[in-house]
Amino acid sequence: EEKPVVGLIMKSLANEFFRDMLEGTKEHEKSRGDYVLKAVGMQNETDFQSQINAVENFITQEVDIIVVAPADSRAMIRPLKKAIEAGIVVINFDVSLDADAKKKQNLELAFVGPDNRSGAKLAGVALANKLGAGGKVVIIEGNPGADNAIERKKGFMDAIEEHDLELLASSTAHWETEEANSVFSNMLTANPDIQGVMAANDSMAIGVIKALEAAGRAKDIQVVAFDNIPAVGPMLADGRLLATVDQFGRDMAANAIEKGLAVHRGGPELSGWIKTDIKLVEASK
Amino acid sequence: MLAASIETLATSKENNDSRILSVKNLCKNFGGVKALQGVNFDLVKGETHALVGENGAGKSTLTKILTGVYHYDDGDIILKDNIYKPNSPKSAKQSGIQVVHQEFNLLTYLSIAENICFESLPKTKLGTLDKKKMHQRARLAMDTVGLGDIEVTTKISELGIAHRQLVEIARALEFKSDILILDEPTATLTQREVEKLFTILEKIKHSGVTVVFISHHLNEVFNICDRVTIFRNGKTITTKEIKDTNPQDVVSLMVGKALEQVMAQQSNQKHFGSIALEVKNLVIPQSPNAEGINFCVRKGEIVGIAGLVGAGRTEILRTIFALQEKISGQVLIDGLPVEFKNPRDAVNARLAFVTEDRKDEGLILDMSIATNSSLASISQVSNAGLMDFEKENQLAADFAKKLGLRFGKLKDNVASLSGGNQQKVVLAKWLSTNPKLLMLDEPTRGVDVGAKAEIYSILRSLALDGMALIVVSSELPELMTLCDRILVLSNHQVTGELEQQSFSQEEILQLAYKNM
Amino acid sequence: MQSEMKIDMPAQHKKMSLKAIVRDAGIGIALLVLILIFSITTEHFLAPNNITNILTQITINLILAVGLTFVILIAGIDLSVGSVLAFACVVAGKVITIEGLDANTAIFLAVIASLLAGTLCGLLNGLISAYWGLPSFIITLGMLNIARGGALHISEAQTIYSFPEQFNDFGSASLFGIPVVFLVALLLVGIAGFVLHKTVFGRMIYGIGNNEEAVRLAGHPVFWYKVMAYTICGLMAGIAGIVYMARLNISSPIAGIGFELNAIAAVIIGGTSLMGGRGSVYGTLLGAFIIGVLANGLILLGLNDFMRQMITGVVIIVAVVLDHYREKMTTGS
Amino acid sequence: MQSEMKIDMPAQHKKMSLKAIVRDAGIGIALLVLILIFSITTEHFLAPNNITNILTQITINLILAVGLTFVILIAGIDLSVGSVLAFACVVAGKVITIEGLDANTAIFLAVIASLLAGTLCGLLNGLISAYWGLPSFIITLGMLNIARGGALHISEAQTIYSFPEQFNDFGSASLFGIPVVFLVALLLVGIAGFVLHKTVFGRMIYGIGNNEEAVRLAGHPVFWYKVMAYTICGLMAGIAGIVYMARLNISSPIAGIGFELNAIAAVIIGGTSLMGGRGSVYGTLLGAFIIGVLANGLILLGLNDFMRQMITGVVIIVAVVLDHYREKMTTGS
Ligand SMILES: Nc1ncnc2c1ncn2[C@@H]1O[C@H](COP(=O)(O)OP(=O)(O)OP(=O)(O)O)[C@@H](O)[C@H]1O
Ligand SMILES: Nc1ncnc2c1ncn2[C@@H]1O[C@H](COP(=O)(O)OP(=O)(O)OP(=O)(O)O)[C@@H](O)[C@H]1O
Ligand SMILES: [Mg+2]
Ligand SMILES: [Mg+2]
């Protein structure tokens, strides 16, 4: 009997979060040994077309299961529908396809993944607890238009509203360390009374923390972020980073594959939102 | 004064009368084009040796082979008893051969000094550029060519074409050499500069340098050269001592037959029509304080404009053609004032302008003869915006025939034509628009005698047909044979106007120097 | 020696285009080599399905590259095409989702809106760079930012979706296995080829790329020809925007980031000179195929992303080096 | 007529460089206008702290732009600088985190590694494009992919971190309020200015940009000078890589994406012609300042991201248009 083929469609593998996730799936493939993994990433985060291309290529290659982290929650619906019609088991993970759009296209598809919004809210609340009501904060956003960036900003906003924080400014730094460093330095000049920063990912938080150090404000301004990449380990250790959110990316894709294989073997169809773990990781001082 | 650099030019060896260079059966092909097919000649140390021949005869190709730009396919070159096969311009220079190429090789946005010293820029002890020394050397070199009054820090882009040519010559002279090759150095010079150049060449010759002089002006050749080698169709026909021959012989050897004296053939019946162009009180930005310029051209008349380099002849034509703005004054065509905003308006009013710089403004070098011929008259060879290639080829073929163009195929790039033939394509481009007024700036620059005669007779017959022509030229004989009237400019002002019967070189030169 | 004129022009003409085709096809050798390699090393490369995929995948790059061919032929460049695509796409998205319009009207208006938006951006690029004679590199870099900012602003950084079904169907429709959107692109190539090679306008484009001054002196309105070239490029970006929408069923303000480099690469690999005046849109077609086939084949090979990126870089370079040798061979003999 | 030589060279010389400075400073007017606007409209623009920020923020762009000035002066382009920065940065990051090295050795080796990595990429760009005479646009586009893929491959897409303290300190050190990294960049500007204006090599760079053929005919090894220009550009990207590391205390394989466009913009806004042969590295310095001041000021103004992006585009265009008028004024009179 031939092993089932799993087509894994990731976002940009240049992003270490997805890179790590991919490593997790490779381990998983090896340890299970009963399926073949084909993984594809994209050139950059906005390269939606290459994800669609990847779906089409996988349909051509007649894979059995497609496991996909959509770069855009709406653009992927139609090609995935085509894949389902071709008899392929499709698992949507990491970023949920847009519910409204799914309905319009008559697509029933479960989502396996974390809740970015409540994750971000966890971080935001951690910051709010530290600052108290009325704390003045800024947000460093991810790529404008990117779904997880939007979700995370919503999560931060939830925390801000619930805990009466004051939002002084919000700008994108396109997920990038250097840009976050520049953008935040300038925000700090414009708003010297900033007390807290919410960064939509850890890479940007690193840039923010460098800017705080350069301005000599590392002690009195708190930073929270998202992702828990290894590089922020030392910053959590000494308190420069107040908190970040771990969504256990390493296991996320592997879990999704696991679920896909189960369905492929004739298990029950999935439905709704199968939430995966998220955890607030706090400074350990 | 003679620059010290020239005196050091010749590190003269034994002055025996031996041949220092001999070329035997040299052949060179460019793809299918047989540029050289058996060239033989030799150089005697210290002589001035002329190379003459029609456009495309292969003079420049030989020059480029001798100076290491091209490799030759077949034949032998012996330089000072050794086989000579330069593989780069540098190795040619190291063998003592310097050159001024026919095309400009200047660095437009660098200074005169930097251009002159470019081959070996002086360095300080620290290895940096020694600007002081560079400027000194450049000033010396500029003095030798009589341009001592121009700042050597001036950028080339600010110089006119003649001055650029002189800078090129200065650059070649700046370097020591045994053999100096000048490929049509006088083509862009006026009488005055030409004379200056000859004085320089005389001095160089005395210091033992062998000069190879390429020119279409036989008077120049007979003026300064010792021997002349005649090219025809990529072959050398013969080499003669100047004192044993005369211009008529040389011309007939060049073209392979005795040339009818078209030049002398002046039609006597002159019936000029109404005034085609009138210029009133024209003041241009180059000389905002000069008095306005006034002149007119009648239908069927050829008016020449003479003057020294920089006198402002080109600018007048460019102003009429709306290539530059005027400060004040009026231009009237057929008695009606016109305000051209751009060359397009001028072309629509059936003006045509053959510019002095065909490479930059006249031709699209990398496109075909046919394309260039139809460039200004594209509406004639197209239909509702669609090209009619058959018509276009026909048009190009017609004019090629009319102008005696030498070419391979109509689809060949203009760049593959020799200089003179390129000029004919420019003419074709404008004549195909059937203009009312044709303005020509140095129309026969770099054109061989035969073609020149053809061009003259074409221009004359155009005038006969009622076209008005303005010719700017630095060759007085050209103006005097061609024109019905000559306007003399000096320092941006009209200093005189001569009718045909009162044409004389002396008179014209006097007027030209009047405001200097 | 004085060669007699050959009057058998038709033959001459035919010969010329044959040679031109050979020259254009040159880069085709690199393409054939690629196709050969992938056919041997991967299982599905030649599957009809996969060929359909490749055609779909190169469509947008090809459309952009067709527009860029005009601009590059006049020795210009347009860095804004990716952003203009997004801008046109978002404008069309806004129009197509206006409430209360019936589907056909909405589609019609959206298409018009997209083309207008693209044309406008191109026109501005052209007017500014031609009027002041400024380097188009920097002007279109400015436009890159303006159009992207505009797209984000108009859409408030939200993806626009839920378009009429006919519209979405068009994006995935195919004719005898060939995607309709690719046929549209091919039609554009044909039109562009006709315009460039058979019309006065095309002649002027080549002329300007070779020697702008000479064309101006011959009495032609160089300014407007240049503006036209940029405008055409903008129009193509607008068309690409609509195709993007139809294919992906969304309008995204972050669509097309970095597309300009791929499109320029297609043009250059296709043999058009960045110095202007030389090249053809058929070469561009081949260039777009090389890029598309490469991207597709490397994925089929199952190489990891980073290797793929490196190999893509190497192949781009090798393709132009090979083309250089081919050109030398054809002109040298 | 024959005029006597003027021997008062110093005066003459001064006059020329003054004119050159005025010409270079031209774009300075745009810069002054920007500074004026931001000083009036924002509260903190002229605060010492903010000036330090600006200087820090333009450092990397400036270093890349200095290298690009060489390449653009010879009428080339280098699109790979952003990727090469990342490649050099990652290589250095791998070296500096080798276990068991003492801090100083590690830093020393990392700096060397970064410079070598950058130089190597630049050398390849130069060798390939100069040897075959291929357009540098496409060759360096290839290198953009190769270097980025390489950076991701080597680092396995992970951010490298935890460097020796001395190294990190260097990145945030300042002298009289001026960031040391900016002083390094300024030093590079000075060296580049010296090389371009005072050495024979510099004259060759300008000469090649003006008329490559003429330089070759004058007997100079054009090939090597061109290779050198690209190599210098690569070296600068390597230096930028090290500065990036020191400043942010990480090595990221996705560093520098899109930096090439900003750096090229700085060079062009600074008045260097994309056609080669004209311009200066001091102009580049001003160009980098314009871009940096703009980015900083617009954030201080509190504008939203999209407006900022649009305004950036507009200002880039306006800056070159203004420069055009200034140039016309100075040469016209
Ligand atoms: N690079 C080239 N490629 C192809 N053909 C060439 C090339 N250079 C010259 N030729 C051809 O070689 C022949 C000789 O040209 P050359 O320039 O030597 O003529 P010339 O005697 O200098 O003419 P002129 O007096 O017009 O300058 C011409 O037919 C020309 O078309
Ligand atoms: N020594 C000089 N320094 C700076 N500019 C000069 C100098 N000599 C001439 N020019 C300018 O260069 C331009 C072109 O020079 P060119 O030698 O073609 O003169 P011209 O006015 O066109 O005269 P003509 O056509 O009669 O030779 C003119 O504007 C002229 O004023
Ligand atoms: Mg010649
Ligand atoms: Mg003149």
Side-chain angles (χ1 to χ4, degrees):
Chain A
E1 187 208 12
E2 251 182 54
K3 293 178 182 176
V5 178
V6 176
L8 173 63
I9 300 171
M10 309 280 269
K11 290 203 250 172
S12 173
L13 295 180
N15 180 325
E16 67 189 277
F17 177 73
F18 289 100
R19 181 71 185 170
D20 197 36
M21 194 183 284
L22 181 66
E23 291 305 318
T25 60
K26 282 185 180 156
E27 276 167 22
H28 183 257
E29 181 195 17
K30 209 177 280 170
S31 70
R32 276 193 60 139
D34 62 349
Y35 70 96
V36 178
L37 181 68
K38 287 187 176 178
V40 175
M42 28 197 301
Q43 285 278 332
N44 61 55
E45 198 160 349
T46 60
D47 186 11
F48 313 141
Q49 218 189 328
S50 76
Q51 278 203 336
I52 295 180
N53 296 348
V55 174
E56 285 168 354
N57 289 343
F58 280 145
I59 298 175
T60 305
Q61 293 172 48
E62 294 166 353
V63 300
D64 300 287
I65 303 166
I66 289 178
V67 178
V68 56
D72 184 278
S73 59
R74 286 139 189 167
M76 293 303 287
I77 290 180
R78 212 176 157 93
L80 288 178
K81 212 173 146 191
K82 227 161 94 184
I84 292 170
E85 283 159 6
I88 298 171
V89 175
V90 174
I91 305 287
N92 166 214
F93 77 104
D94 183 47
V95 167
S96 168
L97 293 176
D98 188 82
D100 190 35
K102 268 196 286 194
K103 207 186 309 165
K104 286 209 172 105
Q105 297 266 344
N106 288 322
L107 179 70
E108 284 284 337
L109 192 60
F111 170 58
V112 182
D115 186 341
N116 268 291
R117 182 167 179 170
S118 37
K121 189 175 166 191
L122 282 180
V125 169
L127 181 66
N129 288 339
K130 178 86 182 181
L131 300 180
K136 293 173 174 156
V137 299
V138 295
I139 299 177
I140 306 292
E141 302 170 30
N143 255 6
D147 287 291
N148 48 354
I150 293 169
E151 289 299 307
R152 287 177 197 180
K153 184 174 179 190
K154 280 183 187 158
F156 289 144
M157 292 304 293
D158 292 344
I160 288 169
E161 269 157 36
E162 274 177 30
H163 290 80
D164 286 325
L165 299 178
E166 187 185 341
L167 179 66
L168 298 178
S170 178
S171 257
T172 178
H174 299 101
W175 302 126
E176 216 272 322
T177 310
E178 207 266 347
E179 191 175 345
N181 183 271
S182 296
V183 166
F184 179 73
S185 299
N186 298 339
M187 278 179 161
L188 187 58
T189 305
N191 308 283
D193 51 346
I194 293 175
Q195 292 171 291
V197 185
M198 303 175 182
N201 77 353
D202 285 344
S203 295
M204 296 193 291
I206 293 173
V208 169
I209 288 168
K210 277 310 294 178
L212 287 174
E213 287 173 1
R217 303 282 303 273
K219 294 251 150 49
D220 56 340
I221 297 180
Q222 308 297 326
V223 184
V224 295
F226 208 105
D227 278 351
N228 196 26
I229 63 172
V232 295
M235 298 173 177
L236 283 167
D238 60 20
R240 280 176 291 167
L241 183 64
L242 180 67
T244 187
V245 178
D246 197 335
Q247 37 180 346
F248 305 99
R250 201 170 175 85
D251 305 327
M252 195 190 293
N255 284 339
I257 292 171
E258 194 78 30
K259 300 221 159 49
L261 287 169
V263 175
H264 180 68
R265 297 259 150 79
E269 292 284 328
L270 307 174
S271 69
W273 185 346
I274 303 152
K275 289 198 183 179
T276 55
D277 291 344
I278 42 173
K279 190 182 114 199
L280 187 71
V281 184
E282 294 186 85
S284 56
K285 32 150 198 197
Chain B
M1 69 179 255
L2 174 63
S5 60
I6 288 191
E7 260 131 17
T8 57
L9 266 174
T11 46
S12 53
K13 295 176 194 155
E14 270 59 58
N15 215 5
N16 59 0
D17 202 46
S18 65
R19 286 177 289 180
I20 64 167
L21 178 96
S22 64
V23 173
K24 292 195 189 103
N25 240 332
L26 201 65
C27 294
K28 169 77 187 168
N29 298 336
F30 293 106
V33 180
K34 291 180 177 158
L36 298 186
Q37 33 188 339
V39 164
N40 296 288
F41 88 110
D42 52 48
L43 288 179
V44 173
K45 189 167 169 49
E47 72 169 337
T48 301
H49 194 120
L51 302 183
V52 299
E54 295 189 278
N55 294 132
K59 306 176 294 291
S60 297
T61 305
L62 174 67
T63 303
K64 286 181 179 161
I65 287 173
L66 290 178
T67 55
V69 180
Y70 297 150
H71 301 278
Y72 51 96
D73 298 337
D74 207 2
D76 296 302
I77 307 179
I78 314 252
L79 178 69
K80 295 178 214 154
D81 304 327
N82 296 315
I83 299 277
Y84 175 65
K85 207 158 186 158
N87 48 23
S88 71
K90 192 164 194 158
S91 66
K93 287 187 171 113
Q94 278 158 358
S95 311
I97 301 186
Q98 255 307 340
V99 62
V100 175
H101 285 290
Q102 189 173 6
E103 306 85 22
F104 287 128
N105 279 300
L106 293 173
L107 306 163
T108 322
Y109 297 107
L110 294 190
S111 70
I112 292 177
E114 284 163 334
N115 271 279
I116 287 182
C117 300
F118 202 77
E119 277 171 26
S120 66
L121 288 164
K123 289 186 190 178
T124 62
K125 285 190 204 96
L126 300 170
T128 59
L129 182 64
D130 190 342
K131 287 199 175 161
K132 210 167 136 186
K133 202 161 165 194
M134 179 173 82
H135 290 160
Q136 254 168 16
R137 269 169 57 186
R139 227 167 268 124
L140 229 47
M142 288 293 277
D143 264 341
T144 17
V145 294
L147 291 182
D149 54 345
I150 297 182
E151 294 276 1
V152 294
T153 50
T154 312
K155 289 208 167 65
I156 298 296
S157 58
E158 293 165 30
L159 295 183
I161 195 165
H163 286 160
R164 291 184 191 199
Q165 177 74 70
L166 287 172
V167 170
E168 286 242 39
I169 293 169
R171 168 156 89 168
L173 294 181
E174 214 267 338
F175 219 80
K176 289 181 192 175
S177 61
D178 301 327
I179 299 176
L180 175 65
I181 306 177
L182 301 167
D183 194 350
E184 298 198 28
T186 57
T188 54
L189 301 181
T190 55
Q191 201 66 34
R192 185 167 63 129
E193 280 96 11
V194 170
E195 275 156 24
K196 221 180 280 168
L197 177 65
F198 287 172
T199 332
I200 301 163
L201 289 183
E202 197 62 29
K203 282 171 184 155
I204 292 174
K205 185 176 160 179
H206 280 302
S207 64
V209 175
T210 312
V211 177
V212 176
F213 181 77
I214 301 175
S215 174
H216 290 295
H217 304 295
L218 293 182
N219 58 336
E220 293 171 3
V221 168
F222 278 82
N223 212 335
I224 60 160
C225 296
D226 303 311
R227 290 199 298 161
V228 55
T229 294
I230 293 137
F231 278 64
R232 195 199 307 157
N233 292 340
K235 293 191 189 106
T236 43
I237 303 300
T238 179
T239 298
K240 294 209 161 190
E241 293 282 336
I242 284 292
K243 55 182 190 291
D244 299 339
T245 182
N246 59 51
Q248 286 73 27
D249 286 348
V250 172
V251 169
S252 46
L253 284 168
M254 267 165 64
V255 299
K257 59 177 189 285
L259 186 73
E260 313 89 311
Q261 275 300 343
V262 206
M263 316 243 188
Q265 194 183 93
Q266 286 277 13
S267 57
N268 288 325
Q269 81 282 28
K270 299 269 163 161
H271 297 299
F272 302 137
S274 57
I275 291 178
L277 169 89
E278 185 167 11
V279 172
K280 281 186 184 165
N281 291 318
L282 187 69
V283 180
I284 57 177
Q286 280 81 1
S287 55
N289 301 321
E291 283 170 30
I293 286 163
N294 293 288
F295 70 93
C296 68
V297 189
R298 283 164 291 180
K299 287 181 179 152
E301 187 182 28
I302 305 181
V303 173
I305 302 182
L308 303 175
V309 166
R313 300 165 299 175
T314 300
E315 276 71 25
I316 293 177
L317 301 192
R318 291 182 75 84
T319 308
I320 294 173
F321 209 66
L323 280 165
Q324 63 167 46
E325 283 171 20
K326 58 176 189 260
I327 288 185
S328 63
Q330 228 181 8
V331 175
L332 298 94
I333 305 279
D334 289 335
L336 299 171
V338 289
E339 284 293 340
F340 298 147
K341 280 193 282 302
N342 48 45
R344 183 165 202 220
D345 294 341
V347 173
N348 286 342
R350 290 183 45 212
L351 265 57
F353 181 24
V354 176
T355 53
E356 63 182 334
D357 187 345
R358 60 174 169 261
K359 206 164 154 190
D360 283 347
E361 298 179 329
L363 293 168
I364 303 178
L365 286 173
D366 285 331
M367 293 181 90
S368 70
I369 295 169
T371 301
N372 276 281
S373 302
S374 69
L375 188 61
S377 54
I378 203 144
S379 54
Q380 286 175 36
V381 297
S382 62
N383 215 327
L386 287 188
M387 292 300 300
D388 183 338
F389 293 107
E390 210 154 306
K391 250 191 191 165
E392 182 179 46
N393 281 325
Q394 195 59 57
L395 176 118
D398 288 348
F399 278 97
K401 195 168 185 182
K402 209 178 274 178
L403 299 174
L405 188 73
R406 291 174 171 221
F407 66 104
K409 283 173 249 114
L410 284 173
K411 66 161 177 96
D412 287 346
N413 284 350
V414 171
S416 71
L417 297 178
S418 70
N421 281 308
Q422 289 182 2
Q423 186 69 8
K424 289 183 191 167
V425 176
V426 179
L427 273 177
K429 174 179 81 176
W430 286 118
L431 293 183
S432 65
T433 65
N434 186 23
K436 276 201 287 206
L437 172 70
L438 176 60
M439 305 191 289
L440 306 106
D441 198 356
E442 310 286 359
T444 61
R445 173 172 289 169
V447 174
D448 69 55
V449 231
K452 214 181 235 180
E454 290 165 31
I455 289 174
Y456 290 167
S457 78
I458 292 164
L459 295 182
R460 269 208 215 94
S461 71
L462 290 171
L464 267 184
D465 293 344
M467 194 184 290
L469 290 97
I470 304 177
V471 179
V472 165
S473 173
S474 298
E475 288 177 47
L476 294 185
E478 173 165 298
L479 289 177
M480 288 162 57
T481 33
L482 202 54
C483 301
D484 302 306
R485 192 149 53 89
I486 296 178
L487 210 68
V488 188
L489 279 190
S490 180
N491 205 3
H492 297 274
Q493 289 177 30
V494 180
T495 47
E497 202 173 319
L498 302 175
E499 295 293 336
Q500 201 165 35
Q501 52 274 18
S502 50
F503 283 178
S504 85
Q505 293 223 20
E506 296 70 37
E507 179 77 17
I508 295 175
L509 281 175
Q510 240 169 37
L511 289 168
Y513 279 105
K514 196 165 164 188
N515 283 355
M516 297 309 286
Chain C
M1 267 267 87
Q2 186 95 326
S3 79
E4 56 280 59
M5 259 168 292
K6 303 204 183 69
I7 313 286
D8 51 340
M9 271 159 293
Q12 206 175 314
H13 187 231
K14 209 176 276 163
K15 226 165 111 198
M16 181 180 107
S17 24
L18 203 78
K19 194 175 164 194
I21 288 167
V22 169
R23 180 171 299 175
D24 292 345
I27 198 71
I29 297 165
L31 181 59
L32 282 179
V33 170
L34 272 185
I35 291 177
L36 210 71
I37 292 177
F38 288 133
S39 312
I40 295 167
T41 52
T42 73
E43 197 177 339
H44 301 280
F45 183 77
L46 287 181
N49 243 334
N50 192 49
I51 290 171
T52 309
N53 284 348
I54 293 176
L55 297 183
T56 315
Q57 290 157 23
I58 70 168
T59 297
I60 285 176
N61 189 31
L62 178 56
I63 296 175
L64 294 177
V66 166
L68 269 160
T69 305
F70 283 81
V71 169
I72 294 178
L73 277 176
I74 61 163
I77 195 93
D78 188 347
L79 296 178
S80 69
V81 291
S83 294
V84 172
L85 180 155
F87 180 70
C89 184
V90 165
V91 169
K94 281 281 166 190
V95 171
I96 209 169
T97 52
I98 291 174
E99 309 251 330
L101 290 181
D102 77 293
N104 285 333
T105 320
I107 292 172
F108 176 75
L109 290 179
V111 171
I112 298 294
S114 174
L115 303 194
L116 278 183
T119 306
L120 178 75
C121 294
L123 184 67
L124 279 177
N125 279 334
L127 286 175
I128 296 173
S129 58
Y131 183 77
W132 284 294
L134 298 171
S136 51
F137 193 100
I138 197 82
I139 300 303
T140 58
L141 182 61
M143 181 56 79
L144 179 155
N145 284 300
I146 297 172
R148 178 70 61 193
L152 285 162
H153 186 75
I154 292 175
S155 65
E156 290 161 323
Q158 301 288 322
T159 306
I160 305 168
Y161 65 102
S162 102
F163 306 147
E165 268 316 299
Q166 302 99 299
F167 183 70
N168 293 345
D169 289 345
F170 169 76
S172 29
S174 58
L175 215 68
F176 312 116
I178 302 173
V180 171
V181 287
F182 178 75
L183 292 177
V184 170
L186 215 54
L187 180 70
L188 293 173
V189 171
I191 295 175
F194 177 80
V195 168
L196 284 173
H197 298 298
K198 305 283 180 206
T199 69
V200 173
F201 175 71
R203 171 65 61 80
M204 292 301 145
I205 293 292
Y206 279 94
I208 289 170
N210 272 296
N211 187 345
E212 190 179 322
E213 208 41 41
V215 176
R216 193 192 318 274
L217 264 151
H220 299 293
V222 168
F223 175 76
W224 287 111
Y225 288 122
K226 290 175 87 170
V227 171
M228 278 297 288
Y230 288 95
T231 307
I232 290 172
C233 190
L235 171 63
M236 290 294 161
I239 297 176
I242 269 290
V243 169
Y244 185 98
M245 269 175 81
R247 184 156 141 58
L248 276 64
N249 310 152
I250 56 160
S251 285
S252 164
I254 49 175
I257 291 179
F259 281 17
E260 54 278 358
L261 290 186
N262 260 343
I264 295 171
V267 176
I268 302 179
I269 291 177
T272 297
S273 162
L274 276 172
M275 299 291 133
R278 257 181 319 157
S280 99
V281 72
Y282 306 118
T284 299
L285 178 63
L286 291 171
F289 261 102
I290 291 211
I291 292 175
V293 164
L294 190 64
N296 175 279
L298 291 179
I299 292 182
L300 294 190
L301 271 180
L303 285 178
N304 86 41
D305 281 35
F306 314 148
M307 289 303 283
R308 259 168 46 212
Q309 192 164 11
M310 282 192 272
I311 292 177
T312 304
V314 172
V315 172
I316 288 177
I317 293 176
V318 170
V320 288
V321 171
L322 282 183
D323 192 52
H324 168 82
Y325 277 108
R326 186 202 48 73
E327 178 120 356
K328 226 170 134 178
M329 265 161 47
T330 44
T331 57
S333 69
Chain D
M1 274 263 83
Q2 190 96 325
S3 83
E4 56 280 60
M5 255 174 294
K6 302 206 183 68
I7 314 285
D8 53 338
M9 268 159 299
Q12 205 177 312
H13 186 230
K14 209 176 275 162
K15 221 166 115 201
M16 181 183 108
S17 23
L18 203 77
K19 194 175 163 194
I21 286 167
V22 170
R23 182 170 297 174
D24 291 346
I27 198 72
I29 297 166
L31 180 58
L32 282 179
V33 171
L34 272 185
I35 290 177
L36 209 70
I37 292 177
F38 289 134
S39 311
I40 295 168
T41 53
T42 72
E43 197 179 341
H44 302 281
F45 184 76
L46 287 181
N49 244 336
N50 192 49
I51 290 172
T52 309
N53 280 349
I54 295 177
L55 297 182
T56 313
Q57 288 162 23
I58 70 168
T59 297
I60 286 175
N61 189 32
L62 179 56
I63 295 174
L64 294 177
V66 167
L68 269 160
T69 305
F70 283 81
V71 169
I72 294 178
L73 276 175
I74 62 163
I77 195 94
D78 188 347
L79 297 177
S80 69
V81 292
S83 294
V84 171
L85 179 156
F87 180 69
C89 184
V90 164
V91 168
K94 281 282 166 190
V95 170
I96 209 169
T97 52
I98 291 173
E99 310 249 331
L101 289 182
D102 75 294
N104 287 330
T105 319
I107 293 173
F108 176 74
L109 290 180
V111 171
I112 298 293
S114 175
L115 304 194
L116 277 183
T119 306
L120 179 75
C121 293
L123 183 68
L124 280 176
N125 280 334
L127 285 175
I128 296 172
S129 58
Y131 183 78
W132 283 294
L134 299 171
S136 50
F137 194 101
I138 196 81
I139 301 304
T140 59
L141 182 61
M143 181 56 79
L144 179 156
N145 285 301
I146 297 172
R148 179 71 59 193
L152 287 163
H153 186 76
I154 293 175
S155 65
E156 289 162 323
Q158 302 287 317
T159 306
I160 305 169
Y161 62 100
S162 102
F163 305 149
E165 270 315 302
Q166 301 98 301
F167 182 70
N168 293 349
D169 290 345
F170 169 75
S172 27
S174 59
L175 215 67
F176 312 116
I178 302 172
V180 171
V181 288
F182 178 74
L183 291 176
V184 170
L186 216 54
L187 180 70
L188 293 173
V189 171
I191 295 175
F194 177 81
V195 169
L196 284 173
H197 298 297
K198 305 284 181 202
T199 68
V200 172
F201 174 72
R203 293 299 87 188
M204 293 299 147
I205 294 292
Y206 279 92
I208 291 171
N210 271 287
N211 187 342
E212 190 178 322
E213 205 41 44
V215 177
R216 188 167 294 129
L217 283 177
H220 298 294
V222 169
F223 174 76
W224 286 112
Y225 289 121
K226 289 175 87 170
V227 171
M228 277 298 287
Y230 288 95
T231 307
I232 289 172
C233 190
L235 171 63
M236 290 293 161
I239 296 176
I242 270 288
V243 169
Y244 184 101
M245 269 175 81
R247 190 154 115 55
L248 299 169
N249 310 155
I250 55 160
S251 287
S252 164
I254 51 170
I257 291 178
F259 282 16
E260 53 280 357
L261 291 186
N262 261 342
I264 295 170
V267 177
I268 302 178
I269 290 178
T272 297
S273 162
L274 275 171
M275 299 291 135
R278 263 181 310 166
S280 98
V281 73
Y282 305 118
T284 300
L285 177 63
L286 291 170
F289 261 102
I290 292 214
I291 293 176
V293 164
L294 190 63
N296 173 277
L298 291 179
I299 291 185
L300 294 193
L301 271 179
L303 287 178
N304 84 40
D305 290 343
F306 316 145
M307 289 303 284
R308 259 168 46 213
Q309 191 163 14
M310 281 193 273
I311 292 178
T312 304
V314 172
V315 172
I316 288 177
I317 293 177
V318 171
V320 288
V321 171
L322 282 185
D323 193 50
H324 168 81
Y325 277 108
R326 186 201 49 73
E327 179 120 357
K328 225 171 137 179
M329 265 162 46
T330 44
T331 57
S333 68

